[in-house]
Amino acid sequence: MVVRVTGAERRTVVDVGLRGPAGFRGWSGGRGDVVTVSAVTATAGYLPGPIEPGAWTVLLGVPNIRPGSVDRFTVTVTLHDTDRPVDGPVVRTAPGWYAGDLHAHSAHSDGRVRVGTPRAVGAPPFLVFAAAAREGLDFITLSDHNTVSHWLEVDRLQPYFDTLLLLHGREVTTYRGHANTAGERAFSEFRLASPDASPAALMRAIRESGAFVSINHPGRPDDETCMGCGWNVTDDEMLGAVDGVEVVNGMTRSGDQWGWPLWAAWLNRGARLTAVGGSDEHTPDETDDYAVGQPTTVVWADELSEGGIVRGLKSGRVYIRTRGPRGPSLEFHATQGGTRVEMGAALDVAGETDVEFVADVDGADGQTLEWIRNGEIVATQPASRHASRMLRVAPGDWVAIMVREAGDPTVIGNPIYVGPRR
């Protein structure tokens, strides 16, 4: 709902409020806001809740109008079929690389902070966002488990964080594995029909609604240390149901628990999934375990908005700085026969052929660049601002790069696919 009033130069003021069929829903006075009310979120001063059928009333008051003034007001009401408006804020209009954290928690699930003696209490979302801002991130997803109650605070706190984009998401937590969303527009079911039911249909529905959906920490154990955390669904069930895989969760970037092997195996079966990272931060007041922005997912987006970041994630032009936002930067492309494709895209070739792959890495002095084809390292060389390699590839192949320091991954790039575009 938008209320426009003429006569501001004469100090004409019209107060605004809203009443639904079930009663009072809010009051914003004369501040002139756009008013949004939905099942899960509402403008400050208004109550979220169901949009009941029946008569709704716009409440108007006129605290000031000068004698002889004739002014007009208009009320525009727009109905949406989602739990929140599709259009969100555009924090920056320019295309470019934007760095963020896709996985963090607050008091709306199991995020916590220490106060007083010290005593653990739920972590206010504001502290999570403030930590992201201190790290210099461009965006962050508050991904509390199953609920969307935090969306209200995302919307109300966004104006305060005018350089940091707050994404709507959650961690869809089933007993067969977890998945993160970014850019969800409506609450959807997270419960499975039975303990052994596949979450594929549930994930596919969220993805097809426009959100980005990625499997979380697939290598984690599924035991009393993390019930339901491990991914135990077959590839066949999930192919086409998700957009990506969290290959780095917190500081887990090697060993049995990181997600890179599962992601690479899926790519070898023909899937095209974006590799992402997320801190999984639960304690924004300390960094003894994880920290906001470690790792950082870097996305090429046409603008810094929720739609822009989601489009960028789905495109696959994405890389991971495993140690945090100030890690090395990466550009990765391939050229063949006058055609250039960027990271995440497909180079269409008719058969086996030689293709030049180019990786521009900045800030990785003394580190090693690995060229990876179909999950196997085929060459290594020092990381540099302009590293190129001619590789023999065929339709169905994929080529990615990884940068390491003393064996530890610092940058993980998404692949360039070889074969028809999809």
Side-chain angles (χ1 to χ4, degrees):
M1 179 180 72
V2 181
V3 179
R4 301 294 185 205
V5 182
T6 65
E9 70 280 5
R10 295 182 295 277
R11 303 292 181 88
T12 299
V13 177
V14 174
D15 288 340
V16 179
L18 187 65
R19 183 181 296 276
F24 179 76
R25 292 297 290 266
W27 183 262
S28 49
R31 69 177 187 246
D33 287 342
V34 174
V35 174
T36 298
V37 175
S38 80
V40 300
T41 189
T43 300
Y46 291 80
L47 300 172
I51 306 303
E52 311 103 343
W56 287 70
T57 304
V58 178
L59 307 174
L60 299 173
V62 185
N64 190 65
I65 185 168
R66 291 175 179 175
S69 293
V70 177
D71 295 305
R72 291 176 172 82
F73 67 86
T74 60
V75 179
T76 304
V77 176
T78 304
L79 300 178
H80 299 271
D81 60 0
T82 60
D83 284 339
R84 63 179 186 83
V86 173
D87 296 327
V90 178
V91 175
R92 223 168 301 161
T93 58
W97 289 105
Y98 293 110
D101 191 339
L102 293 169
H103 192 167
H105 294 277
S106 76
H108 288 270
S109 60
D110 51 355
R112 60 200 180 276
V113 294
R114 295 282 180 180
V115 297
T117 52
R119 177 171 55 92
V121 300
F126 182 89
L127 293 183
V128 182
F129 302 150
R134 284 196 304 273
E135 290 298 320
L137 297 180
D138 299 306
F139 64 88
I140 185 166
T141 304
L142 198 59
S143 53
D144 283 309
H145 295 278
N146 291 331
T147 186
V148 295
S149 59
H150 52 288
W151 289 4
L152 177 63
E153 299 197 56
V154 167
D155 291 331
R156 291 183 176 177
L157 289 171
Q158 178 65 80
Y160 180 85
F161 292 94
D162 58 347
T163 63
L164 174 70
L165 177 68
L166 312 182
L167 293 167
H168 298 80
R170 60 179 170 146
E171 185 166 9
V172 180
T173 305
T174 79
Y175 301 131
R176 299 196 65 190
H178 300 182
N180 254 25
T181 71
E184 270 195 285
R185 297 172 181 169
F187 173 79
S188 61
E189 186 56 76
F190 60 88
R191 296 172 298 170
L192 302 180
S194 65
D196 58 351
S198 171
L202 183 156
M203 304 298 181
R204 185 177 290 107
I206 298 173
R207 176 177 182 261
E208 291 176 352
S209 75
F212 176 82
V213 181
S214 56
I215 292 172
N216 283 351
H217 42 63
R220 292 284 295 275
D222 182 11
D223 57 24
E224 290 184 352
T225 65
C226 193
M227 287 81 75
C229 287
W231 192 256
N232 53 55
V233 185
T234 68
D235 293 353
D236 289 338
E237 291 177 281
M238 294 305 300
L239 289 175
V242 296
D243 300 290
V245 175
E246 187 183 66
V247 301
V248 183
N249 174 267
M251 303 309 290
T252 304
R253 49 183 182 255
S254 62
D256 296 335
Q257 293 192 19
W258 80 315
W260 200 94
L262 175 82
W263 172 74
W266 276 24
L267 265 55
N268 284 339
R269 297 194 59 189
R272 294 184 180 177
L273 300 170
T274 304
V276 298
S279 70
D280 206 358
E281 176 62 285
H282 286 70
T283 52
D285 60 334
E286 50 90 349
T287 58
D288 292 342
D289 47 5
Y290 301 164
V292 171
Q294 296 183 20
T296 296
T297 300
V298 188
V299 182
W300 178 269
D302 50 34
E303 63 182 17
L304 184 55
S305 67
E306 188 160 87
I309 295 299
V310 169
R311 289 189 294 273
L313 288 166
K314 285 177 176 279
S315 79
R317 194 173 177 186
V318 174
Y319 66 93
I320 304 164
R321 292 173 177 157
T322 66
R323 297 175 178 175
R326 285 166 285 280
S329 62
L330 170 69
E331 292 271 9
F332 181 42
H333 70 270
T335 58
Q336 199 263 348
T339 299
R340 170 173 168 153
V341 297
E342 303 294 338
M343 180 166 46
L347 182 66
D348 197 358
V349 299
E352 190 173 287
T353 187
D354 292 323
V355 173
E356 183 183 21
F357 293 87
V358 179
D360 294 305
V361 184
D362 193 14
D365 293 346
Q367 300 185 30
T368 301
L369 173 67
E370 297 176 344
W371 300 95
I372 298 168
R373 182 178 57 208
N374 302 335
E376 301 294 332
I377 300 170
V378 295
T380 62
Q381 65 186 84
S384 67
R385 288 179 178 268
H386 187 80
S388 65
R389 178 73 55 169
M390 192 70 72
L391 295 177
R392 191 78 172 171
V393 294
D397 288 349
W398 57 274
V399 175
I401 65 100
M402 189 179 299
V403 179
R404 293 181 184 267
E405 183 176 41
D408 185 31
T410 61
V411 172
I412 299 171
N414 269 280
I416 293 170
Y417 301 96
V418 181
R421 296 172 180 82
R422 294 182 180 177

